[in-house]
Amino acid sequence: MVKAVVEQIVKHSPNCIIIVVTNPLDAMAQAALKVSGFPKNRVLGMAGVLDSARMSSFVAMECKVSVENVHSFVLGGHGDDMVPCRGTRPWREFPSPIFCPRNALRPSSSARAKAAPKS
């Protein structure tokens, strides 16, 4: 599927920059790079936005606040090597630890199941 899509992208927009946002991100971005023949600075992978949104959902559920008031940021690849940036998560003007104890920021398996995308 990625191959067919990338071939069409290259055919119709040969000077574009491709931004890959599907999982598994690393494999899909690598496939898009190979199929497109583009230089590596024109094929980008972007997964952090989705994972940051999931983290915001976990924090909001655990701390019983609106997700609109929680802004999260994660670094690293999707999976076990991902790092949540606790200190960069402003909650309006205040850091989240003021409102939510540290152990509440470790989502339970039920919270993860609720926030996971439905297939």
Side-chain angles (χ1 to χ4, degrees):
M1 181 69 151
V2 170
K3 182 177 187 270
V5 170
V6 172
E7 288 171 344
Q8 290 299 307
I9 290 170
V10 172
K11 177 180 175 182
H12 295 286
S13 190
N15 298 317
C16 73
I17 294 173
I18 299 173
I19 302 173
V20 179
V21 293
T22 188
N23 282 325
L25 181 70
D26 295 344
M28 296 298 146
Q30 189 64 36
L33 178 66
K34 182 178 178 181
V35 171
S36 71
F38 287 179
K40 64 183 178 181
N41 65 340
R42 289 184 46 209
V43 179
L44 311 171
M46 187 175 145
V49 173
L50 176 58
D51 293 319
S52 294
R54 285 181 181 148
M55 184 173 168
S56 292
S57 294
F58 294 145
V59 172
M61 283 188 289
E62 292 297 319
C63 298
K64 297 175 179 48
V65 297
S66 170
V67 72
E68 293 174 0
N69 294 326
V70 180
H71 305 282
S72 301
F73 184 72
V74 298
L75 294 173
H78 183 76
D80 292 341
D81 60 346
M82 185 183 310
V83 178
C85 298
R86 182 177 163 85
T88 65
R89 227 179 26 254
W91 200 310
R92 296 190 186 237
E93 293 88 31
F94 304 101
S96 61
I98 293 171
F99 299 98
C100 199
R102 182 176 292 270
N103 64 350
L105 299 182
R106 298 179 191 275
S108 65
S109 59
S110 63
R112 285 191 299 273
K114 287 179 191 173
K118 306 295 184 242
S119 330

